[in-house]
Amino acid sequence: MSYGIFSSVYDILTENVDYRKTADKICSLLSLNGVDGGLLLDLGCGTGTLSFLLEENGYDVIGIDVSPDMLSEANEKKYEKNSSALFLCQKIEELDLYGTVDCAVCCLDTLNHLDRIEKVREAFRRISLFMNMNGILIFDFNTVHKHRDILADNTFVYDMDDVYCVWQNTYDDENKKTDIDLDFFIKEEDGAYSRYGESFCEYAYETDEILSILRECGFTVLGCYDGYSDNAVTDTTQRITVVAKKTELIYKDEIK
């Protein structure tokens, strides 16, 4: 999935996301757990908005994303900002680095885009393989509740100045899969609107399953939160944020 047209309007459609608040919370959690700087891996970095904010907080950032179009947007920002961030086009379940990192983040439901739990396991294994001992991993994922009861079979409309987006969901409870169809109406220079479409899927995973796999891959869970708050997870939590520490070694021969 390249997210071609989606990448060009992604920043507009996510204007409601408080990236700075998220970055500040991530940095606070990293600092609280002994990582105040160093090399940070941003998995599913998209157009790089969060990557640059984390870099501003003193981290050297490597951004990973499967979409070359998203990374093209990130690299344009990189030169505008005179940033030193490095962006690589990779699948997170096939992560391959030249060295190790001190910490990693995986935000905005990146894990929900993995279509099998085996891929989630492989992603955690590879993150662990390329992370220093006692390194910190912070990631989030959309809950089954959000997929089943919020996204469900609902339609959402985003009406921006130059972009109109219709977001339609179809939920398959048996497979805990949400098919997402996006129709974009983008204003051209002559004032007319052109229509484009994107389709992709998200998959919901049970929290216990995610945490069990995380432990299998050499991590100790330090905390789970309701989004990027200090609140505990409840039955109505839509996004769970997990903080974990690498406490056991993973060897390359354990990776598929």
Side-chain angles (χ1 to χ4, degrees):
M1 173 63 71
S2 66
Y3 302 106
I5 192 64
F6 192 21
S7 66
S8 68
V9 296
Y10 184 81
D11 288 342
I12 297 173
L13 295 175
T14 56
E15 285 179 351
N16 63 322
V17 178
D18 194 338
Y19 281 101
R20 187 165 294 279
K21 180 180 178 180
T22 300
D24 288 345
K25 183 61 178 178
I26 287 171
C27 292
S28 174
L29 289 168
L30 289 173
S31 181
L32 181 65
N33 290 286
V35 183
D36 290 303
L39 192 53
L40 180 149
L41 188 63
D42 184 3
L43 297 147
C45 64
T47 63
T49 302
L50 183 62
S51 299
F52 298 122
L53 291 171
L54 295 170
E55 184 182 35
E56 287 176 14
N57 278 272
Y59 295 89
D60 298 315
V61 176
I62 299 174
I64 301 290
D65 203 276
V66 70
S67 167
D69 294 300
M70 289 285 192
L71 293 177
S72 177
E73 298 287 331
N75 276 309
E76 284 190 24
K77 293 182 189 177
K78 171 182 174 176
Y79 293 112
E80 291 171 2
K81 295 175 177 289
N82 195 28
S83 163
S84 298
L86 172 66
F87 294 106
L88 302 175
C89 190
Q90 295 184 8
K91 296 178 180 180
I92 64 172
E93 70 272 24
E94 297 176 4
L95 178 70
D96 191 12
L97 303 177
Y98 287 110
T100 53
V101 300
D102 301 295
C103 52
V105 300
C106 186
C107 301
L108 297 177
D109 32 284
T110 293
L111 284 183
N112 295 104
H113 287 270
L114 299 180
D115 61 5
R116 296 194 305 276
I117 196 65
E118 290 81 8
K119 288 187 178 181
V120 176
R121 178 180 285 106
E122 200 62 20
F124 284 151
R125 282 177 177 167
R126 287 183 174 272
I127 294 166
S128 184
L129 177 65
F130 292 107
M131 180 175 284
N132 293 326
M133 186 61 72
N134 297 318
I136 299 297
L137 168 63
I138 298 173
F139 67 93
D140 68 44
F141 60 97
N142 283 337
T143 61
V144 173
H145 161 66
K146 181 174 181 179
H147 278 258
R148 184 183 58 226
D149 304 319
I150 307 299
L151 297 179
D153 293 314
N154 292 319
T155 298
F156 304 93
V157 174
Y158 298 86
D159 189 359
M160 312 293 188
D161 289 340
D162 297 320
V163 178
Y164 186 85
C165 174
V166 179
W167 176 319
Q168 300 179 79
N169 299 311
T170 305
Y171 180 63
D172 174 0
D173 192 44
E174 181 179 353
N175 297 302
K176 294 186 173 60
K177 171 188 174 185
T178 301
D179 291 308
I180 299 171
D181 295 303
L182 303 176
D183 284 306
F184 303 103
F185 300 85
I186 300 177
K187 191 174 184 179
E188 307 293 353
E189 291 183 1
D190 61 2
Y193 282 80
S194 296
R195 180 177 179 176
Y196 305 90
E198 291 272 9
S199 297
F200 53 91
C201 304
E202 283 199 14
Y203 299 81
Y205 298 106
E206 297 289 349
T207 303
D208 289 346
E209 188 174 33
I210 292 285
L211 298 184
S212 176
I213 290 172
L214 189 63
R215 295 184 183 102
E216 285 177 23
C217 297
F219 288 97
T220 296
V221 177
L222 302 178
C224 296
Y225 304 93
D226 187 335
Y228 289 90
S229 72
D230 295 325
N231 300 328
V233 173
T234 69
D235 290 341
T236 59
T237 294
Q238 296 185 36
R239 184 194 306 277
I240 295 176
T241 299
V242 178
V243 182
K245 175 184 283 191
K246 178 180 173 179
T247 52
E248 296 180 27
L249 289 174
I250 290 287
Y251 298 97
K252 199 162 188 177
D253 58 8
E254 297 180 50
I255 306 297
K256 292 180 182 178

